[in-house]
Amino acid sequence: MLSRPDFHALIKENRVHSSLYYDERVFQEELENIWYKTWVYVGHVSEVPKKNDYVTKAIGPTPILMVHDRHGNISLLQNKCPHRGNQLCAYQKGNRTSFTCPYHAWTFANSGELVGLAFPDGYEGVDKSEFSLGKVPRIAIYRGLVFGSFAKEGPSLEEHLGDAKRALDQMLDNSPEGELELTAGFLQHRTKANWKFVLENETDGYHPGSVHGSIFQVASSPVPALYKPESLALTRDYGNGHTEFDLRPQWRHVGKPMYWFNTTAEKLPLYTEAMKKAYGEQRSQEIMIDGSPHIMIFPNLFIAEIQMFVIQPVSVNETIQHVTALQFKGAPDFNRRLRQQTMGSVGPAGFLLADDTEMYERNHRGALINNPEWIVLTRGEKRETRDEDGHRIGHSTDEVTQRGIWRHYLKLMTEQA
Amino acid sequence: MIDENEIDPSIAEPVALSPEQELMLRRIEQFLYYEARLQDLHAYDAWESLWTDDAIYWIPANGENPDPETQMSYVYDNRSRIGVRIKQLKTGKRHTQTPRSQLARIISNIEFIAQNGDEFEVRANAFIYEDSLRGETTWAARNEYRLRLVDNKLKLVRKKVVLVNNNKPIYTLSFLV
């Protein structure tokens, strides 16, 4: 039996040990203490709009069937026949009231109960209720966002989200109806790198100037200014591993609706009108100035203003980024542009994410080099302050966020349940 | 197949070609091999000049024929965005292509599908070997082209690249495919 890594020795306040990214034992501990324990984002209710719709999702390496079941509830089922363990469903999505295992034809309701056995005469007296599909024990839905937790007990989703919930509300305010509808399908971008390189980069404001210099140079946008020394944007550590760039100070300084999206209210007349109708003149202006947030909900849900990323670790050295365009209910003209811009930016061929992902892979190869052993997270340490709610904040390029992620990580890896 | 309710595409039989079309097919083959060579050798400007002003360069995701106006694609570029893609590659700071992927591709199964005046619908398969810092990757695609004769030269009007595994997680695809 392998010994347990000493996480206190590997994680310091402003530096972490490289082995955290490549040690197989660390990955197994993460599965146990993070992925199969805390709240993990699974999917959105709009991906299964009709009764009996299902999609294949995942919690870490484990596939999960997210089902709008026959009773009208969202169920998170494990894709494994309880008889001999065969993979139950081989498709990524569909609509069906039941799942039949191809191996021995056991049939399950889409809410998980065993409803039919082939040749039942060999199973006299068997209680079918003992052979339901595995379920994610806890499921919680925040404004359409479906989270699951493999821990039967623990903090509620609201407790887990804490004040980071405000950023999700900020995102949803961009819809005249206050709702998302994820209808554009996901790109799946595979990378040979540990998932924490992805997690940490999502709120790393120090890299855009160098990693994305090529696209900043050839396409004009208000984004590059966010990550320059004179930027008013902030990094924030919400606690519980949730981190963000608060871009609002910069957008409010400019004070123009839709500037954050590199456009004007006039160029989106239908959207502007719908927002006014929904929120009133004053509030709609504020929402359209503030824009959509840049928030990383630990461990796997990343809202990058106009996109949703879902981070999925597959193994210690392989990660999948699932990404789609945010689509705001009641905003067709805006949604079209959100899709176009997302397609340009993200995924395997994206102007931005192809380069981020190149960095993840170089990061991972770098971690394997044994000297120096430590990764440095000191940027902005001396100028870190607190906001009015007591959350740590810093300049947009400071490593407030990475320090926050690791502080929470250490807690998860060392607290005994 | 991603969706168990998806319908299989119908399979059309090969068309009978006129003698002129037989000759045009030879020109089309030469053109597709030339395009492949420009891509393999990262000849960005020459490749960009193959496109017409109304061009569409499309790499769909999640199936053979999703609606690119409503569904996410890996690439769905109009002419202007093709230009941005090339400009970015030419900055020398497109890190995923610095150093560049080392490439060789096979274009085969070239089929003449239809002619509409000066335009030709063509299909081909592509098999691409890529070596990059990450390692070796192979790519397989069924390509569909609309080519147009402009001043007696073939141009790309539309290119659709259907990666056979486009519903699965794929590695970074930052060279010209």
Side-chain angles (χ1 to χ4, degrees), chain A residues 54 91-93 95-96 183-190 192 210-211 214-215 217-218 320 324-325 339-340 342-344 348-351 354-355 357-359 361-362 365, chain B residues 1-5 61-62 68-77 81 84-85 87-88 91 93-99 133-135 167-174:
Chain A
Y54 73 89
Y91 293 98
Q92 286 172 303
K93 63 180 182 183
N95 182 285
R96 49 169 55 251
T183 51
F186 281 80
L187 303 181
Q188 299 182 72
H189 191 175
R190 181 181 178 195
K192 277 189 184 172
S210 40
V211 173
S214 64
I215 193 66
Q217 187 180 321
V218 302
I320 300 166
T324 192
R339 289 192 298 271
Q340 286 175 334
T342 295
M343 276 192 263
F351 295 139
D355 286 322
T357 303
E358 180 67 28
M359 292 304 116
E361 292 173 355
R362 295 189 194 189
R365 293 195 295 272
Chain B
M1 202 187 299
I2 173 175
D3 183 338
E4 59 173 320
N5 297 318
N62 299 318
E69 293 298 329
T70 63
Q71 298 298 302
M72 291 283 291
S73 295
Y74 294 111
V75 168
Y76 187 51
D77 286 0
R81 192 169 275 181
V84 172
R85 197 169 290 282
K87 278 201 198 95
Q88 185 186 26
T91 60
K93 293 184 288 191
R94 175 62 159 162
H95 301 289
T96 166
Q97 281 300 316
T98 317
L133 288 180
R134 186 185 54 247
N167 63 327
K168 296 277 187 67
I170 62 169
Y171 287 125
T172 293
L173 179 59
S174 55

Side-chain angles (χ1 to χ4, degrees), chain A residues 3 7 45 55 133 220 258 273 309 318 329 374 402:
Chain A
S3 62
F7 287 99
V45 292
V55 285
L133 295 176
S220 78
M258 302 312 287
E273 201 44 47
F309 289 83
E318 183 158 353
K329 207 167 182 183
W374 291 84
Q402 288 77 25

Side-chain angles (χ1 to χ4, degrees), chain B residues 48-49 51-56 77-84:
Chain B
E48 189 184 355
S49 73
W51 293 93
T52 59
D53 288 344
D54 57 343
I56 294 287
D77 286 0
N78 58 15
R79 181 64 187 81
S80 150
R81 192 169 275 181
I82 291 170
V84 172

Side-chain angles (χ1 to χ4, degrees), chain A residues 183-244:
Chain A
T183 51
F186 281 80
L187 303 181
Q188 299 182 72
H189 191 175
R190 181 181 178 195
T191 181
K192 277 189 184 172
N194 184 267
W195 66 277
K196 298 188 293 302
F197 288 123
V198 183
L199 169 69
E200 290 179 275
N201 186 62
E202 309 300 25
T203 49
D204 176 292
Y206 197 28
H207 82 277
S210 40
V211 173
H212 304 305
S214 64
I215 193 66
F216 293 167
Q217 187 180 321
V218 302
S220 78
S221 138
V223 171
L226 292 166
Y227 308 109
K228 287 185 174 162
E230 57 276 19
S231 171
L232 301 174
L234 304 169
T235 40
R236 176 175 289 111
D237 168 20
Y238 274 114
N240 289 348
H242 312 313
T243 58
E244 79 166 346

